[in-house]
Amino acid sequence: MLVETVLLYVLGILIVAAGLVLSIGLHEIGHLVPAKAFGVKVGQYMIGFGPTLFSRKRGETEYGVKAIPLGGYISMAGMYPPPKTEAAAAEPGGAHSRTATTGVFQTLVQEAPAEPTSHDDDARSFYRLAVPKRIVIMLGGPLMNLLIAVVLYGVVLCAFGVQQPSTTVGSVSQCVLPPTSTATSCPAGAAESPAAAAGIRPGDELVSVDGTAVTGWTQATSIIQKSPGTAIDIVVLRDHARKTLTMTPLLTERYVTDTAGNVVTNAAGVKETEKVGFVGIGAALARVQQPVTAVLPAVGDNIGSVVHLIVNLPERLVGVAKAAFGGGTRDPNGPVGVVGVGRLAGDVASLDSVPILDRASALVGILASLNVALFVFNLVPLLPLDGGHVAGAIIEGVRRSVAKLFGKRDPGPVDPSKILPLTLVVVTVLGAMSLLLVYADIVNPIKLGG
């Protein structure tokens, strides 16, 4: 059993790792296809960084895989314009266009040596494209991740389905306990629950409650909660036969929960309670396939969560540092690194008590969330991220439009390499963040269930 658990753990990690590498490869294809379509010379398409494991050149482009699979890039001619001192060299007869790369997890914007190229090559440089075409190329990668996320969410919601309360009774409380009780069994003297007294059993399917046909669990509990002290008939289907049971809901206190099932607290931080009718039954969960219309809202919710995380990233990283170096529980909704994602995937795959369909759905969900994170993160308007290049193109377009409007001289292309110090700062921060997350994911990882 231990060997099987370990193998499943490793399998979960490998599945998510392979999915991540595939997502990175497709991200770069999102850049590659429009770049070639617009005539830009692409020297390399690489998955990973570091030493090249293998590669093959087709046409003018070298395709390959490198040793460290934590990113990828395509190398485009003239991603940065030549310095103004080299402007003359950009005329027919020679050029010093600069080749750079665009990738998902870039450590630096890698720049090829400024070797002389032909005028034809310079004419095919990225920086010579119209601003809209440059934006299309740079947005191609993130939009590919968004498309992958939509497809994977479709698989999770429409193919696998979502666990939801059914109209079948899953559990029956034998006694009535206050909401603050932590007892796992009925103490002496505890009042018997109305459901237990009436003889309702796990597996009974609710047909009607107080004369109202039941179509959902929430509908049934709503009727029960509004009927304390009033005898009601509950019709159940048991062994293919209908059975009518009569019970009187007790007036009891319970915690107030929000739509996500979280306990609501007041301004003083005290958990709120309410008095409702109670019979002591719980729903059995059933996997329900969702309509296609549920996919985009789910992706949108995930995007909103990632945006909120990035906006509050400094505060969240402080929490990660405190958990890593001072103990305590990691925030399950906080940032997590590659190591943490791998550990979560392994934990999910090795849960023997969970049906294999649920585990497969969870692994696909992890990949969907990773692609949403790649989509949002790469849109941050800072170099070396794709959003930084998009921002540079937009600034250039605005400058040229303003100059044309006022009859001034064309200011020329914006050179993003001029903000290299800021780029180095961003890279340093990203590197430090990655190291912190790796350390935290090793010593104090996020655990399933929080």
Side-chain angles (χ1 to χ4, degrees):
M1 181 63 71
L2 178 60
V3 174
E4 181 181 351
T5 300
V6 172
L7 290 176
L8 287 173
Y9 187 92
V10 173
L11 179 61
I13 295 175
L14 292 177
I15 289 174
V16 170
L20 180 58
V21 171
L22 180 60
S23 298
I24 292 171
L26 291 173
H27 174 103
E28 295 309 325
I29 287 177
H31 292 305
L32 178 70
V33 171
K36 283 185 170 292
F38 295 146
V40 176
K41 183 177 181 179
V42 180
Q44 287 185 317
Y45 167 93
M46 290 289 172
I47 298 177
F49 296 102
T52 300
L53 297 180
F54 67 88
S55 66
R56 177 175 296 180
K57 191 166 186 178
R58 292 189 176 182
E60 64 185 10
T61 306
E62 179 188 9
Y63 300 86
V65 175
K66 291 181 174 288
I68 306 174
L70 296 179
Y73 65 89
I74 66 169
S75 174
M76 293 186 290
M79 194 167 181
Y80 298 125
K84 290 183 178 180
T85 56
E86 298 177 5
E91 297 301 320
H96 292 278
S97 63
R98 293 180 289 166
T99 302
T101 66
T102 171
V104 181
F105 296 115
Q106 289 174 291
T107 53
L108 278 174
V109 176
Q110 302 175 19
E111 185 173 328
E115 298 176 355
T117 60
S118 67
H119 174 64
D120 290 339
D121 284 348
D122 182 64
R124 297 176 60 199
S125 293
F126 173 82
Y127 81 92
R128 288 194 177 276
L129 291 177
V131 168
K133 291 184 177 180
R134 275 183 277 164
I135 292 176
V136 168
I137 292 175
M138 298 315 302
L139 288 182
L143 289 178
M144 181 65 79
N145 290 123
L146 178 61
L147 177 60
I148 295 170
V150 170
V151 171
L152 294 180
Y153 262 105
V155 172
V156 170
L157 297 177
C158 304
F160 287 113
V162 177
Q163 291 278 21
Q164 293 181 342
S166 67
T167 56
T168 300
V169 177
S171 62
V172 179
S173 301
Q174 297 301 311
C175 59
V176 181
L177 297 173
T180 55
S181 175
T182 57
T184 56
S185 60
C186 293
E192 188 177 24
S193 73
I200 197 167
R201 301 174 187 173
D204 288 347
E205 183 180 348
L206 300 183
V207 177
S208 67
V209 176
D210 198 25
T212 301
V214 172
T215 57
W217 186 263
T218 302
Q219 175 197 20
T221 56
S222 177
I223 296 172
I224 292 171
Q225 290 170 1
K226 295 176 181 177
S227 308
T230 303
I232 58 176
D233 290 334
I234 295 182
V235 179
V236 300
L237 187 64
R238 181 187 300 171
D239 298 329
H240 307 290
R242 293 194 176 194
K243 188 175 182 65
T244 301
L245 305 172
T246 302
M247 60 191 74
T248 302
L250 296 176
L251 183 63
T252 187
E253 192 175 29
R254 70 160 192 173
Y255 287 123
V256 178
T257 57
D258 57 22
T259 54
N262 301 313
V263 177
V264 176
T265 57
N266 58 26
V270 179
K271 295 179 180 179
E272 296 185 2
T273 60
E274 61 181 350
K275 291 187 179 296
V276 295
F278 168 84
V279 296
I281 56 175
L285 296 179
R287 187 170 289 281
V288 180
Q289 292 180 331
Q290 304 297 300
V292 175
T293 53
V295 174
L296 292 183
V299 174
D301 289 342
N302 197 339
I303 291 174
S305 298
V306 176
V307 170
H308 183 267
L309 175 64
I310 292 177
V311 170
N312 296 279
L313 192 57
E315 178 185 352
R316 295 296 185 91
L317 289 176
V318 169
V320 171
K322 289 181 178 178
F325 298 103
T329 304
R330 289 275 298 275
D331 180 2
N333 297 316
V336 60
V338 176
V339 173
V341 170
R343 295 188 67 157
L344 285 173
D347 289 340
V348 167
S350 59
L351 287 174
D352 293 334
S353 59
V354 176
I356 189 170
L357 194 64
D358 291 344
R359 285 180 274 172
S361 177
L363 290 176
V364 175
I366 289 174
L367 286 173
S369 296
L370 279 174
N371 275 279
V372 169
L374 289 175
F375 165 69
V376 176
F377 187 70
N378 274 284
L379 292 182
V380 174
L382 294 172
L383 290 174
L385 302 174
D386 296 334
H389 293 285
V390 171
I394 292 175
I395 291 173
E396 177 181 324
V398 171
R399 287 178 58 197
R400 284 182 156 170
S401 296
V402 171
K404 184 177 181 180
L405 180 65
F406 290 96
K408 294 185 177 181
R409 181 180 178 183
D410 187 340
V414 171
D415 186 358
S417 67
K418 290 184 177 180
I419 59 171
L420 182 60
L422 176 60
T423 302
L424 293 176
V425 170
V426 173
V427 169
T428 301
V429 171
L430 292 177
M433 180 182 72
S434 299
L435 291 175
L436 171 61
L437 290 175
V438 167
Y439 179 77
D441 291 339
I442 293 174
V443 302
N444 191 355
I446 293 176
K447 298 179 176 60
L448 292 179

